[in-house]
């Protein structure tokens, strides 16, 4: 049994995503389908964010820049050739005259996300605390600014359109599950454990011979790769995208999802993204009017945003360390043993 | 002469940002909380100025100050107090949630409101007129901003250095547990700091509304984000360094904006990144460089820098 303790920790989050996909794909209308697939892609983005923020304990506002790089590279490179010269005339010839398939665009998004995160991470991973938060925010600001004005690499301030909408339920679910599995494998690996040790006590971890900078850089790069990949899924879901869609709002929303779920655990990341997304969809639909056991409820338009904010605030006030409290999903048996071990440690 | 013009405008913007920086720095000092919802206090004060448009300016400003103070005290009581001692990430996201909430409540009810320029009762609006000195065109509000900033800092310095509550605030900012042991009342100190930050938000709102009479639910949001960056760049641990950081980022943004604009304003120049549209990137690159060299802040006392780096 003991060897399989990790199994629920991996299968729990995956089951949650698969369940979400299975139920919503069966019952959702065509209009809601996009929203639910968006929820699944949100899980991927939040888990990518968790890989760095959750394991390192360092706050980053920069991960959405890797989502943006992934989204725009995948988007620009999959627009059909015959219309590309018309909509994006200023592109570098290499980008303008080539188009790649959906699968390769996801690979490209992953690679560029990783590369960008690695290059940015080399200097930035020396920082901790608020300085790290603001420096990563600066990266987001630069990414947004350059993407919005440099028309040689993208659409600039206009909307990028004509992107093939290939992110169906299958791709979204498989993608999110892959991101979860990689995040899980990483946090149980030697590198992941070293990084989590630096999160708990940087001084002790350094004394034990852990290179904090290197471990943070690994996690930042992996998080960048997964963010880029999630960005690729995102752009193929939306089909049209502007730079402001991968800027402040998405940054705050994904961070809020992570903190509401519980920043310290993979399960928290998945649960937070799922709960906040479902709540948003529910309230959005309630603005149009929904039936709840015979009652017809119709909220004034715009109230869904207010509702989401209220619920987030209440969750944080009631459970400041998130819904999961930063714990992984455990079966009863293993929890009891953990308690026993804990009390033995306490007695010793 | 044009450089002098740019300098004066830059000082004007720096003064407004420094006011906001003090408000954020005061609360951070006693609560260790980065109040992202500070921009919404500015927003509330700005809406109050709009609602009391026909009133005498003094009454209008008084209402705005009162509203911002009440809102910041409510914020403290409802959200900050239960979260004392929570992790910085939790507190920060809680203030995101408050900001998001207030912004969307405002959107639900009011959307855009314009404070009309040239209103009979509004001598405030006339402050937007420019005065010409030689080849310089300076709006009255720039002088008002600089003057208000100086008066506010002088008052604050007196409060912090010459009164009992000021001493308690400084003690709490230096070491809260010890200050409490020595008889400093936590709630009194925190509520005073929060109330003062509310007053400063309203003062900033008055200047911002005069400069740009279009009040919307995002009024104060961008300013707060920029100032938060500036405060950390300056050094958030001390009020002086935080304020200087706020001033510096306002000054740098305005001045660099002017210098870049004279280089050409399209994105099609030979080396594209000298165009003024890339101003945010230039500022952010400088921010990153400063943080890498001095992680505890540009104006932080020496010796703190190394602890923050790994």
């Amino acid at each position: 049994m003991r060897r399989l303790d990790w199994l629920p920790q991996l299968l729990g989050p995956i089951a949650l995503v698969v369940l979400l996909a299975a139920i919503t794909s069966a019952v959702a209308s065509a209009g809601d389908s996009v929203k639910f697939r968006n929820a699944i892609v949100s899980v991927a983005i939040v888990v990518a964010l968790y890989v760095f923020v959750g394991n390192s304990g360092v706050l980053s506002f920069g991960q959405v820049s890797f989502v943006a790089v992934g989204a725009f590279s995948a988007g620009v490179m999959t627009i059909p050739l015959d219309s590309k010269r018309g909509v994006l005339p200023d592109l570098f010839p290499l980008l303008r005259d080539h188009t790649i398939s959906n699968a390769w665009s996801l690979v490209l998004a992953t690679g560029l996300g990783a590369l960008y995160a690695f290059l940015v991470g080399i200097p930035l991973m020396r920082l901790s605390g608020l300085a790290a938060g603001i420096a990563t925010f600066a990266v987001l600001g630069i990414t947004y600014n350059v993407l919005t004005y440099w028309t040689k690499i993208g659409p600039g301030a206009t909307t990028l359109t004509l992107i093939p909408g290939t992110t169906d339920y299958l791709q979204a679910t498989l993608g999110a599950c892959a991101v979860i599995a990689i995040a899980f494998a990483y946090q149980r690996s030697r590198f992941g454990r070293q990084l989590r040790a630096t999160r708990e006590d940087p001084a002790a971890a350094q004394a034990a011979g852990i290179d904090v900078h290197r471990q943070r850089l690994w996690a930042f790069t992996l998080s960048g790769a997964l963010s880029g990949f999630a960005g690729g899924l995102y752009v193929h879901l939306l089909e049209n995208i502007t730079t402001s869609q991968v800027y402040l709002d998405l940054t705050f929303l994904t961070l809020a999802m992570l903190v509401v779920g519980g920043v310290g655990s993979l399960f928290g990341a998945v649960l937070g993204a799922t709960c906040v997304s479902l709540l948003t969809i529910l309230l959005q639909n309630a603005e149009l009017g929904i039936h709840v056991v015979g009652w017809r409820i119709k909220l004034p338009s715009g109230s869904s945003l207010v509702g989401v904010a209220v619920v987030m605030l209440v969750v944080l006030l009631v459970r400041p360390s998130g819904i999961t409290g930063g714990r992984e999903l455990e079966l009863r048996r293993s929890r009891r043993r953990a308690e026993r071990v804990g009390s033995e440690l306490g007695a010793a | 002469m044009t450089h002098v013009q740019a300098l004066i405008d830059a000082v004007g913007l720096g003064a407004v940002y420094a006011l906001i920086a003090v408000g954020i720095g005061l609360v951070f000092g006693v609560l260790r909380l980065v109040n992202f919802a500070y921009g919404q206090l500015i927003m509330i004060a700005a809406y109050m100025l709009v609602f009391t448009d026909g009133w005498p300016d003094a009454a209008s400003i008084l209402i705005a100050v009162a509203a911002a103070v009440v809102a910041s005290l409510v914020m403290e009581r409802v959200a900050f107090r239960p979260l004392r001692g929570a992790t910085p990430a939790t507190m920060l996201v809680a203030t995101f949630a408050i900001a998001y909430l207030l912004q969307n409540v405002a959107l639900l009810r009011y959307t855009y409101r314009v404070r009309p320029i040239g209103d009979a009762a509004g001598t405030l609006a006339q402050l937007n007129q420019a005065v010409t000195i030689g080849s310089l065109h300076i709006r009255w509000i720039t002088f008002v901003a600089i003057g208000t900033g100086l008066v506010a800092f002088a008052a604050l310095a007196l409060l912090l250095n010459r009164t009992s509550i000021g001493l308690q605030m400084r003690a709490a900012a230096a070491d809260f547990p010890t200050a409490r042991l020595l008889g400093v009342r936590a709630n009194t100190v925190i509520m005073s700091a929060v109330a003062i930050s509310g007053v400063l938000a309203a003062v900033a709102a008055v200047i911002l509304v005069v400069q740009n009479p279009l009040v919307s639910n995002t009024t104060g949001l961008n300013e707060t984000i920029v100032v938060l960056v500036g405060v950390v760049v300056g050094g958030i641990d001390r009020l002086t360094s935080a304020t200087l950081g706020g001033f510096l980022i306002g000054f740098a943004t305005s001045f660099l904006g002017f210098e870049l604009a004279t280089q050409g304003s399209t994105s099609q120049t030979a080396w594209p990144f000298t165009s003024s549209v890339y101003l945010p990137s230039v500022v952010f690159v400088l921010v990153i460089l400063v943080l890498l060299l001095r992680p505890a802040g540009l104006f932080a006392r020496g010796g703190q820098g190394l602890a923050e780096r790994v």
Side-chain angles (χ1 to χ4, degrees), chain A residues 120-144:
Chain A
V120 165
I122 291 172
L124 256 53
M125 288 302 104
R126 300 228 165 256
L127 299 172
S128 309
L130 273 175
I134 296 296
T136 48
F137 180 78
V139 171
L140 179 69
I142 293 169
T143 311
Y144 170 73

Side-chain angles (χ1 to χ4, degrees), chain B:
Chain B
M1 254 348 225
T2 49
H3 290 283
V4 178
Q5 171 88 51
L7 271 175
I8 295 174
D9 287 343
V11 171
L13 189 66
V16 182
Y17 282 12
L19 279 172
I20 303 175
V22 175
I24 292 171
L26 263 180
V27 172
F28 183 85
V30 293
L31 278 173
R32 299 284 128 179
L33 171 134
V34 178
N35 188 6
F36 189 79
Y38 197 74
Q40 280 58 46
L41 294 177
I42 297 176
M43 177 198 82
I44 288 172
Y47 271 116
M48 286 304 146
L49 290 175
V50 173
F51 295 151
T52 57
D53 193 33
W55 300 21
D57 285 329
S60 185
I61 292 172
L62 215 60
I63 294 283
V65 171
V69 170
V70 169
S72 64
L73 286 175
V74 169
M75 231 183 243
E76 194 276 328
R77 186 65 195 85
V78 172
F80 301 169
R81 195 172 296 183
L83 286 176
R84 273 182 215 167
T87 61
T90 303
M91 292 202 280
L92 187 63
V93 171
T95 64
F96 285 164
I98 298 171
Y100 200 59
L101 174 66
L102 293 174
Q103 221 179 311
N104 285 306
V105 168
L107 187 66
L108 209 57
R109 289 296 306 278
Y110 307 119
T111 64
Y112 294 94
R113 287 293 179 103
V114 181
R115 189 184 166 89
I117 294 180
D119 175 48
T123 43
L124 273 182
Q126 290 167 14
L127 292 175
N128 219 15
Q129 309 296 320
V131 55
T132 308
I133 309 166
S135 64
L136 299 178
H137 298 277
I138 300 158
R139 292 192 291 175
W140 283 109
I141 192 65
T142 309
F143 293 122
V144 172
I146 297 170
T148 314
L150 290 175
V151 170
F153 300 139
L156 197 69
L158 281 177
L159 181 84
L160 286 175
N161 293 315
R162 293 271 181 270
T163 65
S164 168
I165 189 74
L167 180 67
Q168 291 180 27
M169 267 188 233
R170 283 187 294 137
D175 185 344
F176 212 112
T178 311
R180 287 189 79 175
L181 282 176
L182 294 171
V184 169
R185 288 174 187 277
N187 286 342
T188 315
V189 165
I190 289 171
M191 282 170 67
S192 326
V194 167
I196 297 172
S197 83
V199 174
L200 291 169
V203 172
V206 173
I207 298 171
L208 289 175
V209 170
V210 173
Q211 282 174 342
N212 175 15
L214 183 71
V215 173
S216 78
N217 71 324
T218 54
T219 297
L221 179 70
N222 283 326
E223 287 82 0
T224 304
I225 293 175
V226 174
V227 172
L228 276 176
V229 172
V231 160
V232 175
V233 166
I236 199 168
D237 275 332
R238 287 190 311 140
L239 196 55
T240 326
S241 54
T243 310
L244 283 174
F247 176 82
L248 186 69
I249 203 152
F251 183 86
T253 309
S254 177
F255 194 67
L256 284 175
F258 175 82
E259 293 296 325
L260 284 178
T262 54
Q263 304 266 330
S265 57
T266 65
S267 55
Q268 304 301 329
T269 46
W271 169 235
F273 298 109
T274 54
S275 143
S276 64
V277 296
Y278 294 110
L279 171 66
S281 293
V282 174
V283 173
F284 280 131
V285 167
L286 291 176
V287 163
I288 291 177
L289 286 178
V290 169
L291 287 174
L292 287 173
L293 295 173
R294 291 186 66 91
L298 195 56
F299 308 113
R301 291 211 174 98
Q304 295 174 336
L306 287 174
E308 286 272 329
R309 254 181 304 203
V310 293

